[in-house]
Amino acid sequence: MPDRYVIANWKMNLPPEGIDAYADALNRIEGGNARLVIAPPYPYIERVARRVRDGHGVAAQNCSDHDKGAFTGEVAPAMLREAGARFVILGHSERRAIFGETDGIVARKVTIALATSLTPILCIGENLRTRDAGNASRVLADQIRAAAEGLGSGAVILAYEPIWAIGTGRNASGTMVAETVGHIRDAMGRFWPQAAAKETPILYGGSVTPDNVAELVGHGHIDGFLVGGASLDSGKFAAIHRALA
Ligand code: PEP
């Protein structure tokens, strides 16, 4: 059975209740069989890592595809690890669309993150045109094949995030997610080492809230969630975690 995760992607935001209050609220969560991970902006990684209790994890939202050098504004994976991150979100659709990250760049980042003992949270997803044209599984399979180059025999967490569902309030239905996760597992079986194909957790992300999470969980197949907007409120994030248990 793959491990389960509920991951908070704060993006370039901070929780209105304050970082320490947020971390303390998560520290009070008892039970559940999914690990909680928080991905704050870079400057807050160290503070969150110091504040959250053992068992919760901290992720960076991105990393450089180089380990050091003249890359102004970039942050090396080893620096993120030193700050307390143990995971790194890679290939988020905002990085692909706004910052021009290609499958090749994402694969290089996966390699360097794994070499630094950061677990990549690898994001894949189709746009609405692709979904409507019936090409979603093919495009997702292409992204999985491209990631194989960076993967080697390393372990990643995969986040399926349909682009049309991110930050739009329009989440995919439980049936659609369950069916798509099946296609993703299939493509992993074709392109990834067998152990990775079986053991990689597959999370869903895209406008998950406490109101729609039960429907998504009800269809099975999902090993957790990557949450943006709703993760900025510790109460909502905790409710999503509870629904998975
Ligand atoms: C995300 O950014 O990864 C995400 C899923 O955002 P939201 O939950 O706001 O759609």
Side-chain angles (χ1 to χ4, degrees), residues 102-188:
T102 59
D103 280 343
I105 294 172
V106 174
R108 282 208 303 278
K109 290 186 176 190
V110 168
T111 304
I112 190 166
L114 286 169
T116 318
S117 302
L118 287 176
T119 301
I121 300 159
L122 172 65
C123 301
I124 62 170
E126 81 286 359
N127 63 28
L128 194 54
R129 190 141 36 100
T130 302
R131 167 65 59 183
D132 287 345
N135 292 330
S137 1
R138 186 179 50 73
V139 165
L140 293 167
D142 286 348
Q143 289 175 328
I144 285 164
R145 191 181 46 206
E149 225 172 277
L151 189 63
S153 56
V156 303
I157 297 167
L158 190 110
Y160 166 54
E161 299 209 305
I163 296 166
W164 47 270
I166 295 178
T168 58
R170 183 180 164 194
N171 72 297
S173 71
T175 324
M176 187 193 286
V177 173
E179 189 187 304
T180 308
V181 166
H183 292 311
I184 290 172
R185 198 59 82 194
D186 236 49
M188 284 176 174

Side-chain angles (χ1 to χ4, degrees), residues 36-146:
L36 288 159
V37 177
I38 305 168
Y42 288 144
Y44 303 97
I45 287 175
E46 197 160 359
R47 177 161 162 197
V48 173
R50 255 192 277 113
R51 191 86 183 193
V52 293
R53 69 166 156 82
D54 283 354
H56 295 346
V58 181
Q61 296 177 15
N62 181 31
C63 69
S64 172
D65 57 342
H66 297 274
D67 60 2
K68 64 177 174 205
F71 301 102
T72 303
E74 291 291 280
V75 184
M79 296 169 183
L80 297 168
R81 196 170 155 91
E82 199 176 328
R86 293 294 176 266
F87 303 84
V88 57
I89 298 174
L90 294 177
H92 191 281
S93 63
E94 287 154 14
R95 301 270 348 147
R96 293 178 191 259
I98 305 169
F99 301 99
E101 289 193 10
T102 59
D103 280 343
I105 294 172
V106 174
R108 282 208 303 278
K109 290 186 176 190
V110 168
T111 304
I112 190 166
L114 286 169
T116 318
S117 302
L118 287 176
T119 301
I121 300 159
L122 172 65
C123 301
I124 62 170
E126 81 286 359
N127 63 28
L128 194 54
R129 190 141 36 100
T130 302
R131 167 65 59 183
D132 287 345
N135 292 330
S137 1
R138 186 179 50 73
V139 165
L140 293 167
D142 286 348
Q143 289 175 328
I144 285 164
R145 191 181 46 206

Side-chain angles (χ1 to χ4, degrees), residues 218-233:
H219 284 80
H221 294 95
I222 302 179
D223 302 309
F225 298 102
L226 177 54
V227 188
S231 78
L232 288 168
D233 177 316

